């Protein structure tokens, strides 16, 4: 499944290149104001940080929410305490777009993550051109050398690479690459089942100075409290927000994640 998701994202990127040449994308990226500092926004504090996601659908759950106005949803997130916002831009399975990211960028002043299956410099330039400050690199989906190259490229653009892991082996790769923002995703990308305890099993391997993000299996405030007790600095949440009252859910998450 993961290889299919990458193939689909790369095919969509190639299609966009036909209408927007790489030099133009690069010029648009470099014309953007400097990227916002995600490491400051997501830095550990006495309260858990929430990376709130604009997410319409997923391969495991199908359609979740129509989200006719992603900018309006992003404003709700920002107004109710989200420290950063993730925007799904994958078109085929997650029903997102770069236009969603651009709309959100015009609407809020918090750091934005382009959530997609990124494997090329072109996709990173697209992200910066659309206003993203953070890009996602998935250890399970890319060779280590490619992750290192793309981390360097995104950093040169002033962006923050967010490295997603799913196992001890992947976490060690991320740490070996010097990642400073690391996620442990509770969702098995082969079976799509979740293990809420995976973060707690791996967190002691992550040194201080690295921002620790718990991803997936966040259904309610109890799950946020569970991750906070395990040592999470940040939770990334999509489904629970888009399928409920996002403002109320966010407030409950922040309350549950206090020391």
């Amino acid at each position: 499944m993961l290889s299919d998701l990458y193939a689909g994202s790369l095919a969509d990127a190639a299609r966009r290149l036909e209408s927007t040449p790489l030099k133009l994308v690069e010029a648009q990226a470099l014309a953007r104001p400097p990227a916002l500092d995600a490491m400051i926004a997501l830095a550990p504090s006495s309260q858990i940080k929430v990376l709130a996601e604009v997410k319409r659908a997923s391969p495991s759950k199908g359609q979740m929410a129509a989200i006719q106005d992603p900018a309006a949803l992003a404003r709700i997130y920002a107004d109710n305490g989200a420290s950063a916002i993730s925007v799904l831009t994958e078109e085929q399975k997650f029903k997102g777009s770069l236009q969603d990211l651009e709309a959100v960028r015009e609407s809020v002043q918090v750091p934005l993550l382009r959530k997609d299956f990124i494997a090329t410099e072109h996709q990173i330039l697209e992200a910066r051109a659309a206003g993203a400050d953070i890009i996602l690199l998935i250890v399970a989906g890319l060779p280590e050398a490619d992750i290192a190259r793309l981390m360097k490229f995104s950093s040169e653009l002033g962006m923050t690479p967010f490295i997603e892991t799913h196992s001890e082996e992947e976490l060690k790769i991320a740490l070996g690459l010097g990642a400073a923002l690391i996620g442990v995703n509770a969702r098995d990308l082969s079976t799509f089942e979740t293990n809420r305890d995976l973060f707690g099993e791996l967190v002691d391997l992550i040194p201080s100075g690295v921002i620790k993000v718990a991803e997936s299996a966040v259904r309610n405030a109890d799950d946020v409290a569970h991750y906070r007790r395990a040592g999470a600095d940040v939770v990334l949440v999509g489904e629970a927000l888009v399928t409920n009252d996002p403002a109320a859910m966010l407030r409950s998450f922040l309350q549950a994640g206090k020391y």
Side-chain angles (χ1 to χ4, degrees), residues 3-27:
S3 60
D4 291 340
L5 291 168
Y6 272 97
S9 283
L10 288 171
D12 288 339
R15 174 181 48 78
R16 289 190 297 271
L17 264 180
E18 294 177 1
S19 59
T20 310
L22 184 59
K23 286 187 177 180
L24 178 56
V25 178
E26 182 178 17

Side-chain angles (χ1 to χ4, degrees), residues 75-94:
R75 285 193 296 272
I76 292 172
Y77 288 163
D79 289 346
N80 287 276
S83 295
I85 295 172
S86 167
V87 182
L88 264 298
T89 62
E90 196 276 342
E91 299 177 23
Q92 300 184 27
K93 298 294 185 181
F94 291 86

Side-chain angles (χ1 to χ4, degrees), residues 131-175:
D133 311 288
I134 315 166
I135 55 104
L136 178 72
L137 299 172
I138 304 173
V139 176
L142 296 168
E144 184 174 347
D146 288 359
I147 298 172
R149 187 186 79 249
L150 296 173
M151 285 178 67
K152 182 175 184 292
F153 186 78
S154 60
S155 296
E156 288 171 350
L157 288 172
M159 304 176 76
T160 301
F162 173 38
I163 313 303
E164 179 175 294
T165 68
H166 303 81
S167 67
E168 180 176 346
E169 179 183 0
E170 292 180 11
L171 182 54
K172 288 179 177 177
I173 290 172
L175 292 170

Side-chain angles (χ1 to χ4, degrees), residues 42-124:
L42 298 174
S45 75
S46 60
Q47 185 175 55
I48 201 161
K49 304 290 182 68
V50 177
L51 180 49
E53 198 152 75
V54 177
K55 184 177 186 179
R56 292 190 178 89
S58 77
S60 60
K61 296 296 180 69
Q63 186 76 21
M64 296 177 194
I67 310 182
Q68 298 294 337
D69 189 346
L73 177 59
R75 285 193 296 272
I76 292 172
Y77 288 163
D79 289 346
N80 287 276
S83 295
I85 295 172
S86 167
V87 182
L88 264 298
T89 62
E90 196 276 342
E91 299 177 23
Q92 300 184 27
K93 298 294 185 181
F94 291 86
K95 309 302 180 185
S97 70
L98 283 166
Q99 287 71 37
D100 288 346
L101 180 58
E102 291 170 350
V104 171
R105 176 73 290 158
E106 294 302 314
S107 179
V108 299
Q109 299 302 315
V110 299
L112 301 184
L113 164 68
R114 181 188 181 184
K115 188 87 173 290
D116 209 321
F117 300 91
I118 291 175
T120 67
E121 286 84 353
H122 168 232
Q123 290 170 296
I124 295 174

